[in-house]
Amino acid sequence: MQKTKLLLTSLSLTGLFALAGCSFPGVYKIDIQQGNVVTQDMIDQLRPGMTRRQVRFIMGNPLITDTFHADRWDYLYSIQPGGGQRLQERVSLVFDGSDQLVGLAGDFMPGVSRDQAILGQDSDTTSTQPQDDTPPAPGSLLEQIQREVDQVETVPVPTPEPLDTEPQ
């Protein structure tokens, strides 16, 4: 009787731990991604006046095509990293009666790259490296590299002779 009670208690505890195993700290949980992946590069390629086919080529098929609003395509993307808080992004594209892109709304804005926004740069800056006109220190690696670059002789690229089209 005592052995049966101890065995039943241990099996109950083992079963309870097995059922609660997903909530134990240190247990790996997968990232859950759903929807269309939309990048800033995709948004930057969109131009007013593009046809639906051109937009579909850039963005892919929309996740939601509303039957009541046929002129609007919605792209949704959500990710829930391993048991963390779910993040969601949305982009809506609006077409006119002649199936041309006329508007865009959502979490992305054209021309503002997220990388540039994080770095605090405008979208019209082309160089990310500061221009420094000071010469490298004598004997330094930079000075040696610059000397090697300056000593390189340019060689013209050979142009191939035209193929003989006359049969012999």
PDB file of all heavy atoms in Angstrom, residues 133-152:
ATOM      1  N   ASP A 133      41.596  64.458 -44.965  1.00  0.00           N
ATOM      2  CA  ASP A 133      42.655  64.816 -45.898  1.00  0.00           C
ATOM      3  C   ASP A 133      44.030  64.832 -45.261  1.00  0.00           C
ATOM      4  O   ASP A 133      45.006  65.208 -45.912  1.00  0.00           O
ATOM      5  CB  ASP A 133      42.362  66.190 -46.518  1.00  0.00           C
ATOM      6  CG  ASP A 133      41.137  66.146 -47.417  1.00  0.00           C
ATOM      7  OD1 ASP A 133      40.837  65.064 -47.941  1.00  0.00           O
ATOM      8  OD2 ASP A 133      40.505  67.199 -47.595  1.00  0.00           O
ATOM      9  N   THR A 134      44.155  64.450 -44.011  1.00  0.00           N
ATOM     10  CA  THR A 134      45.465  64.454 -43.381  1.00  0.00           C
ATOM     11  C   THR A 134      46.269  63.265 -43.885  1.00  0.00           C
ATOM     12  O   THR A 134      45.743  62.161 -44.034  1.00  0.00           O
ATOM     13  CB  THR A 134      45.342  64.366 -41.841  1.00  0.00           C
ATOM     14  OG1 THR A 134      44.663  63.159 -41.510  1.00  0.00           O
ATOM     15  CG2 THR A 134      44.575  65.552 -41.286  1.00  0.00           C
ATOM     16  N   PRO A 135      47.545  63.473 -44.202  1.00  0.00           N
ATOM     17  CA  PRO A 135      48.358  62.362 -44.704  1.00  0.00           C
ATOM     18  C   PRO A 135      48.633  61.355 -43.599  1.00  0.00           C
ATOM     19  O   PRO A 135      48.678  61.708 -42.413  1.00  0.00           O
ATOM     20  CB  PRO A 135      49.650  63.042 -45.168  1.00  0.00           C
ATOM     21  CG  PRO A 135      49.722  64.304 -44.391  1.00  0.00           C
ATOM     22  CD  PRO A 135      48.301  64.724 -44.139  1.00  0.00           C
ATOM     23  N   PRO A 136      48.795  60.081 -43.970  1.00  0.00           N
ATOM     24  CA  PRO A 136      49.090  59.066 -42.950  1.00  0.00           C
ATOM     25  C   PRO A 136      50.473  59.302 -42.338  1.00  0.00           C
ATOM     26  O   PRO A 136      51.358  59.900 -42.955  1.00  0.00           O
ATOM     27  CB  PRO A 136      49.027  57.751 -43.713  1.00  0.00           C
ATOM     28  CG  PRO A 136      49.166  58.105 -45.151  1.00  0.00           C
ATOM     29  CD  PRO A 136      48.670  59.497 -45.304  1.00  0.00           C
ATOM     30  N   ALA A 137      50.639  58.820 -41.133  1.00  0.00           N
ATOM     31  CA  ALA A 137      51.920  58.989 -40.438  1.00  0.00           C
ATOM     32  C   ALA A 137      53.017  58.234 -41.173  1.00  0.00           C
ATOM     33  O   ALA A 137      52.774  57.144 -41.695  1.00  0.00           O
ATOM     34  CB  ALA A 137      51.797  58.475 -39.001  1.00  0.00           C
ATOM     35  N   PRO A 138      54.247  58.819 -41.235  1.00  0.00           N
ATOM     36  CA  PRO A 138      55.341  58.137 -41.929  1.00  0.00           C
ATOM     37  C   PRO A 138      55.651  56.791 -41.276  1.00  0.00           C
ATOM     38  O   PRO A 138      55.726  56.671 -40.063  1.00  0.00           O
ATOM     39  CB  PRO A 138      56.525  59.106 -41.786  1.00  0.00           C
ATOM     40  CG  PRO A 138      55.938  60.414 -41.406  1.00  0.00           C
ATOM     41  CD  PRO A 138      54.633  60.136 -40.747  1.00  0.00           C
ATOM     42  N   GLY A 139      55.813  55.776 -42.127  1.00  0.00           N
ATOM     43  CA  GLY A 139      56.137  54.443 -41.644  1.00  0.00           C
ATOM     44  C   GLY A 139      54.927  53.633 -41.209  1.00  0.00           C
ATOM     45  O   GLY A 139      55.064  52.470 -40.830  1.00  0.00           O
ATOM     46  N   SER A 140      53.738  54.215 -41.281  1.00  0.00           N
ATOM     47  CA  SER A 140      52.554  53.481 -40.849  1.00  0.00           C
ATOM     48  C   SER A 140      52.063  52.564 -41.976  1.00  0.00           C
ATOM     49  O   SER A 140      52.494  52.668 -43.137  1.00  0.00           O
ATOM     50  CB  SER A 140      51.433  54.443 -40.451  1.00  0.00           C
ATOM     51  OG  SER A 140      50.966  55.118 -41.596  1.00  0.00           O
ATOM     52  N   LEU A 141      51.161  51.684 -41.637  1.00  0.00           N
ATOM     53  CA  LEU A 141      50.602  50.766 -42.612  1.00  0.00           C
ATOM     54  C   LEU A 141      49.817  51.526 -43.674  1.00  0.00           C
ATOM     55  O   LEU A 141      49.877  51.203 -44.863  1.00  0.00           O
ATOM     56  CB  LEU A 141      49.715  49.730 -41.910  1.00  0.00           C
ATOM     57  CG  LEU A 141      49.032  48.705 -42.792  1.00  0.00           C
ATOM     58  CD1 LEU A 141      50.071  47.841 -43.502  1.00  0.00           C
ATOM     59  CD2 LEU A 141      48.096  47.835 -41.992  1.00  0.00           C
ATOM     60  N   LEU A 142      49.088  52.558 -43.260  1.00  0.00           N
ATOM     61  CA  LEU A 142      48.330  53.352 -44.223  1.00  0.00           C
ATOM     62  C   LEU A 142      49.253  54.041 -45.223  1.00  0.00           C
ATOM     63  O   LEU A 142      48.939  54.130 -46.412  1.00  0.00           O
ATOM     64  CB  LEU A 142      47.481  54.396 -43.491  1.00  0.00           C
ATOM     65  CG  LEU A 142      46.276  53.863 -42.727  1.00  0.00           C
ATOM     66  CD1 LEU A 142      45.598  54.981 -41.969  1.00  0.00           C
ATOM     67  CD2 LEU A 142      45.296  53.207 -43.671  1.00  0.00           C
ATOM     68  N   GLU A 143      50.379  54.504 -44.747  1.00  0.00           N
ATOM     69  CA  GLU A 143      51.330  55.162 -45.634  1.00  0.00           C
ATOM     70  C   GLU A 143      51.908  54.165 -46.637  1.00  0.00           C
ATOM     71  O   GLU A 143      52.072  54.463 -47.815  1.00  0.00           O
ATOM     72  CB  GLU A 143      52.447  55.803 -44.803  1.00  0.00           C
ATOM     73  CG  GLU A 143      53.296  56.798 -45.579  1.00  0.00           C
ATOM     74  CD  GLU A 143      54.651  56.234 -45.932  1.00  0.00           C
ATOM     75  OE1 GLU A 143      55.066  55.246 -45.324  1.00  0.00           O
ATOM     76  OE2 GLU A 143      55.270  56.774 -46.848  1.00  0.00           O
ATOM     77  N   GLN A 144      52.191  52.954 -46.188  1.00  0.00           N
ATOM     78  CA  GLN A 144      52.712  51.906 -47.067  1.00  0.00           C
ATOM     79  C   GLN A 144      51.674  51.526 -48.126  1.00  0.00           C
ATOM     80  O   GLN A 144      52.007  51.376 -49.307  1.00  0.00           O
ATOM     81  CB  GLN A 144      53.098  50.680 -46.247  1.00  0.00           C
ATOM     82  CG  GLN A 144      53.653  49.551 -47.065  1.00  0.00           C
ATOM     83  CD  GLN A 144      53.945  48.320 -46.215  1.00  0.00           C
ATOM     84  OE1 GLN A 144      53.736  48.320 -45.010  1.00  0.00           O
ATOM     85  NE2 GLN A 144      54.414  47.276 -46.864  1.00  0.00           N
ATOM     86  N   ILE A 145      50.432  51.398 -47.719  1.00  0.00           N
ATOM     87  CA  ILE A 145      49.371  51.056 -48.669  1.00  0.00           C
ATOM     88  C   ILE A 145      49.211  52.173 -49.691  1.00  0.00           C
ATOM     89  O   ILE A 145      49.081  51.919 -50.891  1.00  0.00           O
ATOM     90  CB  ILE A 145      48.046  50.766 -47.927  1.00  0.00           C
ATOM     91  CG1 ILE A 145      48.169  49.494 -47.103  1.00  0.00           C
ATOM     92  CG2 ILE A 145      46.881  50.679 -48.907  1.00  0.00           C
ATOM     93  CD1 ILE A 145      47.006  49.240 -46.180  1.00  0.00           C
ATOM     94  N   GLN A 146      49.211  53.421 -49.227  1.00  0.00           N
ATOM     95  CA  GLN A 146      49.064  54.548 -50.139  1.00  0.00           C
ATOM     96  C   GLN A 146      50.225  54.597 -51.135  1.00  0.00           C
ATOM     97  O   GLN A 146      50.031  54.876 -52.313  1.00  0.00           O
ATOM     98  CB  GLN A 146      48.988  55.861 -49.350  1.00  0.00           C
ATOM     99  CG  GLN A 146      48.706  57.072 -50.224  1.00  0.00           C
ATOM    100  CD  GLN A 146      47.345  56.982 -50.890  1.00  0.00           C
ATOM    101  OE1 GLN A 146      46.354  56.688 -50.246  1.00  0.00           O
ATOM    102  NE2 GLN A 146      47.309  57.229 -52.192  1.00  0.00           N
ATOM    103  N   ARG A 147      51.437  54.320 -50.695  1.00  0.00           N
ATOM    104  CA  ARG A 147      52.601  54.309 -51.572  1.00  0.00           C
ATOM    105  C   ARG A 147      52.448  53.225 -52.640  1.00  0.00           C
ATOM    106  O   ARG A 147      52.721  53.446 -53.814  1.00  0.00           O
ATOM    107  CB  ARG A 147      53.874  54.073 -50.745  1.00  0.00           C
ATOM    108  CG  ARG A 147      55.152  54.373 -51.511  1.00  0.00           C
ATOM    109  CD  ARG A 147      56.408  54.327 -50.648  1.00  0.00           C
ATOM    110  NE  ARG A 147      56.189  54.267 -49.215  1.00  0.00           N
ATOM    111  CZ  ARG A 147      56.512  53.219 -48.443  1.00  0.00           C
ATOM    112  NH1 ARG A 147      57.069  52.151 -48.968  1.00  0.00           N
ATOM    113  NH2 ARG A 147      56.286  53.244 -47.146  1.00  0.00           N
ATOM    114  N   GLU A 148      51.969  52.028 -52.234  1.00  0.00           N
ATOM    115  CA  GLU A 148      51.771  50.947 -53.199  1.00  0.00           C
ATOM    116  C   GLU A 148      50.687  51.298 -54.218  1.00  0.00           C
ATOM    117  O   GLU A 148      50.811  50.987 -55.402  1.00  0.00           O
ATOM    118  CB  GLU A 148      51.421  49.653 -52.479  1.00  0.00           C
ATOM    119  CG  GLU A 148      52.570  49.048 -51.708  1.00  0.00           C
ATOM    120  CD  GLU A 148      52.166  47.810 -50.916  1.00  0.00           C
ATOM    121  OE1 GLU A 148      50.998  47.380 -51.038  1.00  0.00           O
ATOM    122  OE2 GLU A 148      53.017  47.291 -50.182  1.00  0.00           O
ATOM    123  N   VAL A 149      49.642  51.958 -53.752  1.00  0.00           N
ATOM    124  CA  VAL A 149      48.572  52.354 -54.664  1.00  0.00           C
ATOM    125  C   VAL A 149      49.088  53.397 -55.649  1.00  0.00           C
ATOM    126  O   VAL A 149      48.772  53.363 -56.849  1.00  0.00           O
ATOM    127  CB  VAL A 149      47.357  52.886 -53.870  1.00  0.00           C
ATOM    128  CG1 VAL A 149      46.353  53.567 -54.784  1.00  0.00           C
ATOM    129  CG2 VAL A 149      46.692  51.759 -53.105  1.00  0.00           C
ATOM    130  N   ASP A 150      49.887  54.330 -55.180  1.00  0.00           N
ATOM    131  CA  ASP A 150      50.424  55.374 -56.061  1.00  0.00           C
ATOM    132  C   ASP A 150      51.400  54.816 -57.084  1.00  0.00           C
ATOM    133  O   ASP A 150      51.561  55.382 -58.167  1.00  0.00           O
ATOM    134  CB  ASP A 150      51.112  56.467 -55.233  1.00  0.00           C
ATOM    135  CG  ASP A 150      50.116  57.264 -54.409  1.00  0.00           C
ATOM    136  OD1 ASP A 150      48.905  57.244 -54.747  1.00  0.00           O
ATOM    137  OD2 ASP A 150      50.539  57.900 -53.416  1.00  0.00           O
ATOM    138  N   GLN A 151      52.076  53.712 -56.777  1.00  0.00           N
ATOM    139  CA  GLN A 151      53.075  53.150 -57.669  1.00  0.00           C
ATOM    140  C   GLN A 151      52.488  52.211 -58.719  1.00  0.00           C
ATOM    141  O   GLN A 151      53.192  51.769 -59.618  1.00  0.00           O
ATOM    142  CB  GLN A 151      54.143  52.402 -56.869  1.00  0.00           C
ATOM    143  CG  GLN A 151      55.017  53.303 -56.033  1.00  0.00           C
ATOM    144  CD  GLN A 151      55.966  52.519 -55.150  1.00  0.00           C
ATOM    145  OE1 GLN A 151      55.900  51.302 -55.074  1.00  0.00           O
ATOM    146  NE2 GLN A 151      56.849  53.237 -54.463  1.00  0.00           N
ATOM    147  N   VAL A 152      51.231  51.915 -58.623  1.00  0.00           N
ATOM    148  CA  VAL A 152      50.610  50.989 -59.574  1.00  0.00           C
ATOM    149  C   VAL A 152      50.574  51.637 -60.949  1.00  0.00           C
ATOM    150  O   VAL A 152      50.181  52.788 -61.109  1.00  0.00           O
ATOM    151  CB  VAL A 152      49.186  50.623 -59.115  1.00  0.00           C
ATOM    152  CG1 VAL A 152      48.435  49.871 -60.199  1.00  0.00           C
ATOM    153  CG2 VAL A 152      49.241  49.807 -57.850  1.00  0.00           C
TER     154      VAL A 152
END
